[in-house]
Coordinates of all heavy atoms in Angstrom, one line a residue:
K1008 N -16.3 46.2 -13.6 CA -17.0 47.3 -12.9 C -18.5 47.1 -13.0 O -19.3 47.4 -12.1 CB -16.5 48.6 -13.5 CG -17.0 49.8 -12.7 CD -16.4 51.0 -13.3 CE -16.9 52.3 -12.6 NZ -16.2 53.5 -13.1
G1009 N -19.0 46.7 -14.1 CA -20.4 46.6 -14.3 C -21.2 47.9 -14.7 O -20.6 49.0 -14.8
I1010 N -22.5 47.8 -14.7 CA -23.3 48.9 -15.2 C -24.4 49.0 -14.0 O -24.9 48.1 -13.6 CB -24.0 48.7 -16.5 CG1 -23.0 48.3 -17.5 CG2 -24.9 49.8 -16.9 CD1 -23.5 47.7 -18.8
K1011 N -24.8 50.3 -13.8 CA -25.9 50.6 -12.9 C -27.1 51.2 -13.7 O -26.9 52.2 -14.4 CB -25.5 51.4 -11.7 CG -24.5 50.8 -10.8 CD -25.3 49.5 -10.1 CE -24.2 48.9 -9.1 NZ -24.7 47.6 -8.5
L1012 N -28.3 50.7 -13.5 CA -29.4 51.2 -14.2 C -30.2 52.1 -13.3 O -30.2 52.0 -12.1 CB -30.3 50.1 -14.6 CG -29.9 49.1 -15.8 CD1 -30.8 47.9 -15.9 CD2 -29.6 49.9 -17.1
P1013 N -30.9 53.2 -13.9 CA -31.8 54.0 -13.1 C -33.0 53.2 -12.5 O -33.3 52.2 -13.1 CB -32.2 55.1 -14.1 CG -32.0 54.4 -15.4 CD -30.9 53.5 -15.3
K1014 N -33.5 53.6 -11.4 CA -34.6 52.9 -10.8 C -35.9 52.9 -11.6 O -36.6 52.0 -11.4 CB -34.9 53.4 -9.3 CG -33.7 53.4 -8.4 CD -34.1 53.9 -7.0 CE -32.9 53.7 -6.1 NZ -33.3 54.4 -4.7
N1015 N -36.0 53.9 -12.4 CA -37.2 53.9 -13.3 C -36.8 54.1 -14.7 O -35.8 54.7 -15.1 CB -38.0 55.2 -13.0 CG -38.7 55.1 -11.6 OD1 -39.4 54.1 -11.3 ND2 -38.5 56.0 -10.7
P1016 N -37.5 53.3 -15.7 CA -38.6 52.4 -15.4 C -38.2 51.2 -14.5 O -37.1 50.7 -14.6 CB -39.1 52.0 -16.7 CG -38.0 52.1 -17.6 CD -37.1 53.2 -17.1
K1017 N -39.1 50.6 -13.7 CA -38.9 49.5 -12.9 C -38.6 48.3 -13.7 O -37.7 47.4 -13.4 CB -40.0 49.3 -11.9 CG -40.1 50.4 -10.8 CD -41.3 50.1 -9.9 CE -41.3 51.2 -8.8 NZ -42.4 51.0 -7.9
L1018 N -39.3 48.1 -14.8 CA -39.1 47.0 -15.7 C -38.5 47.5 -17.0 O -39.0 48.5 -17.6 CB -40.4 46.3 -16.1 CG -41.1 45.6 -14.9 CD1 -42.4 44.9 -15.3 CD2 -40.2 44.6 -14.2
T1019 N -37.4 46.9 -17.5 CA -36.7 47.4 -18.6 C -35.9 46.3 -19.3 O -36.0 45.1 -19.1 CB -35.7 48.6 -18.1 OG1 -35.1 49.1 -19.3 CG2 -34.6 48.0 -17.2
W1020 N -35.1 46.7 -20.2 CA -34.2 45.8 -21.0 C -32.9 45.6 -20.2 O -32.4 46.4 -19.5 CB -33.8 46.4 -22.3 CG -34.9 46.5 -23.3 CD1 -35.9 47.5 -23.3 CD2 -35.2 45.7 -24.5 NE1 -36.7 47.4 -24.4 CE2 -36.3 46.3 -25.1 CE3 -34.6 44.5 -24.9 CZ2 -36.9 45.7 -26.3 CZ3 -35.2 44.0 -26.1 CH2 -36.3 44.5 -26.7
D1021 N -32.2 44.5 -20.4 CA -30.9 44.3 -20.0 C -30.0 45.3 -20.9 O -30.1 45.3 -22.1 CB -30.4 43.0 -20.2 CG -28.9 42.6 -19.7 OD1 -28.0 43.3 -20.3 OD2 -28.8 41.7 -18.9
P1022 N -29.2 46.1 -20.3 CA -28.4 47.1 -21.1 C -27.4 46.4 -22.1 O -27.0 47.2 -22.9 CB -27.7 47.9 -20.0 CG -27.6 47.0 -18.8 CD -28.8 46.2 -18.8
T1023 N -27.1 45.2 -21.9 CA -26.2 44.6 -22.9 C -27.0 43.8 -23.9 O -26.3 43.2 -24.8 CB -25.2 43.6 -22.2 OG1 -26.0 42.5 -21.6 CG2 -24.5 44.3 -21.1
D1024 N -28.3 43.9 -24.0 CA -29.1 43.2 -25.0 C -29.0 44.0 -26.3 O -29.3 45.2 -26.4 CB -30.6 43.3 -24.5 CG -31.4 42.3 -25.3 OD1 -31.1 42.0 -26.5 OD2 -32.5 41.9 -24.9
T1025 N -28.5 43.3 -27.3 CA -28.3 44.0 -28.6 C -29.4 43.9 -29.6 O -29.3 44.3 -30.7 CB -27.1 43.3 -29.3 OG1 -27.3 42.0 -29.4 CG2 -25.8 43.6 -28.5
N1026 N -30.6 43.5 -29.0 CA -31.9 43.4 -29.8 C -32.1 45.0 -30.3 O -32.1 45.9 -29.5 CB -33.0 43.1 -28.8 CG -34.3 42.8 -29.6 OD1 -34.7 43.7 -30.5 ND2 -35.0 41.8 -29.3
K1027 N -32.4 45.0 -31.6 CA -32.6 46.3 -32.2 C -33.8 47.1 -31.6 O -33.8 48.3 -31.6 CB -32.9 46.2 -33.7 CG -31.7 45.7 -34.5 CD -31.9 45.5 -35.9 CE -30.7 45.1 -36.8 NZ -31.0 45.0 -38.2
K1028 N -34.7 46.4 -30.9 CA -35.8 47.1 -30.3 C -35.5 47.7 -29.0 O -36.3 48.4 -28.4 CB -37.0 46.1 -30.1 CG -37.6 45.6 -31.4 CD -38.8 44.6 -31.2 CE -39.4 44.1 -32.4 NZ -40.4 43.1 -32.2
N1029 N -34.3 47.4 -28.5 CA -33.9 48.0 -27.2 C -33.3 49.4 -27.4 O -32.1 49.5 -27.7 CB -32.7 47.0 -26.6 CG -32.2 47.6 -25.3 OD1 -32.8 48.4 -24.7 ND2 -31.1 47.0 -24.8
T1030 N -34.2 50.2 -27.3 CA -33.9 51.7 -27.4 C -33.8 52.4 -26.0 O -33.5 53.5 -26.0 CB -34.8 52.4 -28.3 OG1 -36.1 52.3 -27.8 CG2 -34.8 51.9 -29.7
D1031 N -34.1 51.6 -25.0 CA -34.2 52.2 -23.7 C -32.9 52.2 -23.0 O -32.5 53.3 -22.4 CB -35.2 51.4 -22.8 CG -36.7 51.6 -23.4 OD1 -36.9 52.5 -24.2 OD2 -37.5 50.8 -23.0
T1032 N -32.2 51.1 -22.9 CA -31.0 50.9 -22.1 C -29.8 50.5 -22.9 O -28.7 50.2 -22.3 CB -31.2 49.9 -21.0 OG1 -31.5 48.6 -21.6 CG2 -32.4 50.3 -20.1
M1033 N -29.9 50.4 -24.3 CA -28.7 49.9 -25.0 C -27.5 50.9 -24.8 O -27.6 52.1 -24.9 CB -29.0 49.9 -26.5 CG -27.9 49.3 -27.3 SD -28.3 49.2 -29.1 CE -29.5 47.9 -29.0
I1034 N -26.4 50.4 -24.4 CA -25.2 51.1 -24.0 C -24.3 51.3 -25.2 O -24.2 50.5 -26.0 CB -24.5 50.5 -22.8 CG1 -24.0 49.1 -23.2 CG2 -25.3 50.5 -21.6 CD1 -23.2 48.4 -22.1
K1035 N -23.6 52.4 -25.1 CA -22.7 52.7 -26.2 C -21.3 52.2 -25.8 O -20.5 51.8 -26.7 CB -22.6 54.2 -26.5 CG -23.9 54.8 -27.2 CD -23.7 56.2 -27.5 CE -25.0 56.7 -28.1 NZ -24.9 58.2 -28.5
S1036 N -21.0 52.1 -24.6 CA -19.7 51.6 -24.1 C -19.8 51.1 -22.7 O -20.6 51.6 -21.9 CB -18.5 52.7 -24.2 OG -18.9 53.7 -23.3
M1037 N -19.1 50.0 -22.4 CA -19.0 49.6 -21.0 C -17.6 49.6 -20.6 O -16.8 48.8 -21.2 CB -19.7 48.2 -21.0 CG -19.7 47.6 -19.6 SD -20.9 46.2 -19.3 CE -20.3 45.1 -20.5
T1038 N -17.2 50.3 -19.6 CA -15.8 50.5 -19.2 C -15.5 49.6 -18.0 O -16.4 49.0 -17.3 CB -15.5 51.9 -19.0 OG1 -16.4 52.4 -17.9 CG2 -15.7 52.8 -20.2
G1039 N -14.3 49.6 -17.5 CA -13.9 48.9 -16.3 C -13.6 47.4 -16.7 O -13.6 46.6 -15.7
Y1040 N -13.3 47.1 -17.9 CA -13.1 45.8 -18.2 C -11.7 45.4 -18.5 O -11.3 44.5 -19.2 CB -14.0 45.3 -19.4 CG -15.3 44.9 -19.0 CD1 -16.2 45.9 -18.4 CD2 -15.7 43.6 -19.0 CE1 -17.5 45.5 -18.0 CE2 -17.1 43.2 -18.5 CZ -17.9 44.2 -18.0 OH -19.1 43.8 -17.6
G1041 N -10.7 46.3 -17.9 CA -9.3 46.0 -17.8 C -8.5 45.8 -18.9 O -8.6 46.4 -19.9
K1042 N -7.4 45.0 -18.8 CA -6.2 44.8 -19.6 C -6.6 44.7 -21.1 O -6.9 45.7 -21.8 CB -5.4 43.7 -19.2 CG -4.9 43.8 -17.8 CD -4.1 42.6 -17.3 CE -3.7 42.7 -15.8 NZ -3.0 41.6 -15.4
A1043 N -6.5 43.5 -21.7 CA -6.7 43.4 -23.1 C -8.2 43.4 -23.3 O -9.1 42.7 -22.7 CB -6.2 42.0 -23.6

C-alpha cells in the first residue's frame, strides 16, 4: 500500500529512515503489507 507524505515541508526525511535524528516523518507503523 505504501505511505503518503504531506506536501509540506517540501524537503524532508524518508519516512522509513530509522536515523534517530528523523523526528519529522518517522512512522510508528506501516500497514497494507499483507499476509505473513
Side-chain angles (χ1 to χ4, degrees):
K1008 188 176 180 180
I1010 305 166
K1011 292 298 180 183
L1012 293 175
K1014 295 181 179 179
N1015 290 307
K1017 293 182 178 180
L1018 297 181
T1019 187
W1020 294 79
D1021 183 302
T1023 67
D1024 191 337
T1025 58
N1026 188 317
K1027 292 181 180 179
K1028 294 181 179 180
N1029 178 12
T1030 58
D1031 295 343
T1032 64
M1033 185 178 287
I1034 57 173
K1035 293 183 179 179
S1036 66
M1037 183 160 58
T1038 59
Y1040 276 68
K1042 300 179 181 178

